[in-house]
Amino acid sequence: MNSDLIDFIESLSTSDPNKLTASDIDKIRWFIQSDGCSGVPDFFVEGCIKHDFYYRTHHDFSGRLIRKKDADLRFRRGIQNKSKLGVLSPLSWERWLGVVLFAHAAWNSKRCFR
């Protein structure tokens, strides 16, 4: 893993993505230059930023490698956890399906830290 990425992860208040602070989210957004929710309204923007982090680094917030499948699953569950509809949230399923079907190029982008 890249030493800049290690240093960055260690600068966050927690490795638990569910407990990241607003300040952590701002740091992550800046570090990976996230645009939020690409091409769709910024509903649940924190989830989009976390998902961008997984895609651009191929790591979770503990520094472990993550697979695309797991990054996409965490994205869907994150939206479901914030939604009043929980697992029935249509937005969570719609966004998840979008990244599962159409985000392979983003996952394979050379912008990833490796």
Side-chain angles (χ1 to χ4, degrees):
M1 181 172 30
N2 178 304
S3 64
D4 289 339
L5 181 57
I6 293 169
D7 291 343
F8 177 75
I9 289 171
E10 289 176 353
S11 78
L12 298 173
S13 67
T14 180
S15 61
D16 183 341
N18 298 316
K19 295 181 180 176
L20 291 167
T21 66
S23 177
D24 290 330
I25 297 297
D26 288 341
K27 284 165 105 175
I28 294 164
R29 187 175 201 157
W30 176 85
F31 183 72
I32 60 169
Q33 300 177 15
S34 174
D35 64 352
C37 300
S38 306
V40 295
D42 276 347
F43 301 124
F44 304 107
V45 69
E46 286 185 17
C48 295
I49 293 169
K50 292 174 193 177
H51 189 249
D52 284 351
F53 180 86
Y54 301 142
Y55 266 51
R56 293 186 184 162
T57 67
H58 289 201
H59 289 80
D60 67 12
F61 296 105
S62 297
R64 289 187 221 102
L65 285 172
I66 189 171
R67 299 177 304 166
K68 180 185 182 304
K69 176 182 176 178
D70 295 323
D72 295 343
L73 180 62
R74 289 179 185 198
F75 179 55
R76 187 186 79 218
R77 287 183 177 158
I79 294 172
Q80 291 170 339
N81 288 338
K82 297 284 184 180
S83 171
K84 292 177 183 174
L85 299 174
V87 296
L88 300 177
S89 166
L91 183 62
S92 72
W93 290 98
E94 175 186 296
R95 297 245 174 124
W96 173 78
L97 186 59
V99 296
V100 165
L101 295 177
F102 303 112
H104 293 285
W107 178 259
N108 294 319
S109 170
K110 297 199 184 274
R111 293 182 299 187
C112 297
F113 294 87
R114 297 200 191 179

